[in-house]
Amino acid sequence: MYALFRPLLFRIDPEVAHLLGTGAARLAQSISPSLVKPLFNFEHPMLEQTLWGRSFPNPVGLAAGFDKNAHLVRFWSKVGFGFTEVGSVSARACEGNPRPRAFRLPADRALINRMGLNNDGAEEIARRLKKLPLESLPPLGINIVKTHDPDILGSGAIVDFRHSFRLLANLAHYIVLNISCPNTREGKTFEDPESLRTLLTAIMADRDEMRLRIPILVKLSPTFSRHVVYDSAIEETIAVAIECGVEGLIANNTAPDRDGLRTAPAELERIGGGGLSGAPLTPRTTRLVQYLYLKTGGSIPIIAVGGIDSPETAYANIRAGASLVQLYTGLVYRGPGVVKKIKRGLVRLLKQDGYAHLRDAIGVDSAMPANPITEDVLETVAA
């Protein structure tokens, strides 16, 4: 059915189309689950997992950015997602960058956005989430980020992150620290190892003070290559994250470059800056997942996001080392039916390869010694 509506949606501004789509979803959310859920229902015991003490009915989740303000948490479970991540949420509400700020690249099945972290702010989103029956829904992650303001730097940025964490941490099943968002005026992130250490130390102290056991995850930037090579910056970031007790990693955020695109250079120049998502990131996501799995020895869950829009791309990332996968751009191009399609396809592919359960396939394409990692080892995995 989505295939019939997509040509109409693609004739209008992407952000307007998104608002129309989410408006329709809010209407569907208010309808009885018995009328909506059967259209998308497919669960299988081969796909169930327990991670961080929570049951995930399947490994396919909604990525941050699609439901920034947590208006549709109940809806996402109805269309079959095994978990939902809302945000990015900042301490202060933000209108984001001037429009237009979202663009489609149909030739590449990709998007470019420079939204500028538009969101309702941590206090409003906390009020919204408190009204939901969270314990009866699939796991919910909240992605938090520094407020989009170049004047918030140094210790002020830490205070900003901590404010959001303290408001939202008891309303989620996991918290993501978005240390890698490129859509800010200052263009700086917390991926610098010492900055990350300072942030994580503060957040972990807050978690202890609040007596919470909520998992803390870190979201990383994509590599600048389709091939995995030794990267000292990522190496240090991972080392700091593990040392500070991070319980999961997400690979990866949008990309600032335009490498390997089919879209005409003149069109890319017209669009200008912003983060790239979608199919062009597929190989880079898988390679980064492999890298992270090797570096951590598979000791903590990895969530793959970026260019996942089919059973095959989801399965490749699971075999690379991801326990979970997330969709964003794939949902724009394929529609909500892609969730069911991916789940059915994963069961088929697992059976085809002789696996009794999804967990048996996690990391099988990265099953090499994790320490030390050399360029030869990484290039062998990437081959």
Side-chain angles (χ1 to χ4, degrees):
M1 184 178 294
Y2 182 76
L4 298 176
F5 289 102
R6 196 182 79 171
L8 297 175
L9 289 173
F10 274 37
R11 290 178 185 173
I12 59 179
D13 175 80
E15 189 168 354
V16 173
H18 182 80
L19 291 172
L20 289 173
T22 54
R26 291 177 77 171
L27 177 62
Q29 183 173 242
S30 65
I31 297 174
S32 169
S34 62
L35 297 178
V36 178
K37 195 170 183 178
L39 297 173
F40 304 98
N41 188 45
F42 175 82
E43 300 299 344
H44 197 286
M46 291 179 71
L47 303 180
E48 297 173 4
Q49 296 180 88
T50 298
L51 300 169
W52 308 299
R54 293 280 173 181
S55 175
F56 286 71
N58 68 73
V60 185
L62 182 77
F66 207 98
D67 188 9
K68 290 175 179 285
N69 294 312
H71 284 296
L72 295 167
V73 174
R74 288 179 292 128
F75 174 77
W76 302 122
S77 66
K78 292 182 182 181
V79 298
F81 280 110
F83 66 107
T84 299
E85 190 173 312
V86 299
S88 291
V89 183
S90 55
R92 296 192 335 227
C94 181
E95 293 184 1
N97 291 326
R99 299 186 187 189
R101 53 192 182 180
F103 309 87
R104 302 184 195 91
L105 307 182
D108 293 290
R109 299 200 321 277
L111 301 174
I112 290 174
N113 91 82
R114 49 174 179 269
M115 302 300 290
L117 299 173
N118 56 310
N119 73 97
D120 291 343
E123 291 186 14
E124 176 59 30
I125 292 171
R127 281 194 290 269
R128 193 167 293 142
L129 290 173
K130 286 176 182 177
K131 300 175 183 178
L132 295 177
L134 294 178
E135 290 308 312
S136 65
L137 295 171
L140 173 71
I142 302 179
N143 183 304
I144 62 175
V145 71
K146 183 182 81 67
T147 296
H148 185 180
D149 183 342
D151 293 330
I152 301 176
L153 298 171
S155 61
I158 303 294
V159 170
D160 189 86
F161 255 109
R162 292 178 67 186
H163 181 69
S164 296
F165 179 82
R166 295 182 76 90
L167 284 170
L168 296 165
N170 64 347
L171 298 171
H173 299 123
Y174 69 86
I175 290 286
V176 179
L177 303 182
N178 188 355
I179 65 168
S180 55
C181 181
N183 290 319
T184 55
R185 287 192 296 271
E186 66 270 29
K188 296 181 180 179
T189 74
F190 270 93
E191 287 182 294
D192 168 73
E194 287 313 306
S195 296
L196 178 60
R197 186 189 307 277
T198 303
L199 173 63
L200 286 173
T201 299
I203 293 293
M204 295 302 183
D206 283 343
R207 183 175 69 171
D208 290 343
E209 183 183 329
M210 296 170 71
R211 298 183 179 180
L212 295 176
R213 299 183 63 183
I214 187 166
I216 307 297
L217 284 66
V218 165
K219 187 166 187 174
L220 302 170
S221 293
T223 62
F224 283 94
S225 170
R226 290 170 179 256
H227 301 285
V228 176
V229 294
Y230 176 82
D231 189 314
S232 60
I234 297 177
E235 186 106 347
E236 290 180 77
T237 299
I238 298 168
V240 169
I242 299 300
E243 177 189 329
C244 291
V246 161
E247 287 96 346
L249 298 168
I250 300 184
N252 41 238
N253 220 315
T254 57
D257 61 89
R258 305 290 183 261
D259 290 350
L261 297 183
R262 298 175 182 175
T263 301
E267 176 64 7
L268 295 175
E269 185 175 349
R270 181 192 69 80
I271 290 171
L276 176 71
S277 64
L281 266 63
T282 303
R284 291 159 68 170
T285 300
T286 309
R287 302 309 187 232
L288 182 55
V289 168
Q290 290 175 317
Y291 191 104
L292 297 177
Y293 188 86
L294 282 165
K295 284 304 302 177
T296 62
S299 61
I300 60 174
I302 297 166
I303 301 177
V305 57
I308 296 169
D309 62 1
S310 67
E312 290 73 22
T313 51
Y315 190 50
N317 278 280
I318 289 165
R319 291 182 60 102
S323 297
L324 302 168
V325 299
Q326 291 179 324
L327 311 183
Y328 183 114
T329 305
L331 195 60
V332 173
Y333 280 89
R334 307 292 194 190
V338 72
V339 180
K340 183 177 180 178
K341 180 179 179 181
I342 289 174
K343 291 187 294 183
R344 282 189 180 277
L346 283 175
V347 171
R348 171 178 52 81
L349 291 166
L350 288 166
K351 289 180 176 179
Q352 178 180 294
D353 288 348
Y355 296 116
H357 194 275
L358 179 141
R359 60 176 166 266
D360 301 326
I362 295 172
V364 295
D365 289 341
S366 303
M368 302 182 70
N371 190 25
I373 289 182
T374 65
E375 290 190 26
D376 289 342
V377 168
L378 290 167
E379 290 294 354
T380 299
V381 172

